[in-house]
Amino acid sequence: MVSNQIILVEEVLAKLCKTIYPLADLLARPLPEGVDPLKLEIYLTDEDFEFALDMTRDEYNALPTWKQVNLKKAKGLF
């Protein structure tokens, strides 16, 4: 019985520590556990990021914060 509990804790920890999600998972509600709804873009692969926001991470990070927020709202990532 103890081994089952350890596996369960490891599974929960793995889910909470997950750092990359498919775009579809981040556009769906409810969001996966542990995902910060204000920073959905950080959980995307580079490919999904460019697909969703039509720019690279470097281009996005160069934008002023207000433009980043407006872009995320327009693309449904906010």
Side-chain angles (χ1 to χ4, degrees):
M1 181 152 184
V2 172
S3 64
N4 288 341
Q5 289 176 336
I6 291 171
I7 291 170
L8 180 60
V9 169
E10 287 176 350
E11 287 175 6
V12 170
L13 187 59
K15 285 180 185 174
L16 291 175
C17 292
K18 188 173 177 181
T19 57
I20 295 178
Y21 292 89
L23 179 59
D25 288 0
L26 297 176
L27 294 176
R29 297 295 181 268
L31 289 168
E33 272 189 68
V35 168
D36 183 344
L38 299 179
K39 298 181 180 174
L40 296 179
E41 72 281 3
I42 68 172
Y43 301 100
L44 294 170
T45 64
D46 288 340
E47 185 177 296
D48 278 347
F49 186 97
E50 290 181 27
F51 175 80
L53 297 173
D54 296 322
M55 63 179 61
T56 66
R57 286 185 195 275
D58 288 340
E59 291 168 331
Y60 175 82
N61 290 330
L63 295 174
T65 304
W66 67 270
K67 279 192 175 183
Q68 292 177 358
V69 170
N70 287 348
L71 179 63
K72 289 192 299 185
K73 285 181 180 177
K75 302 294 184 174
L77 283 172
F78 194 82

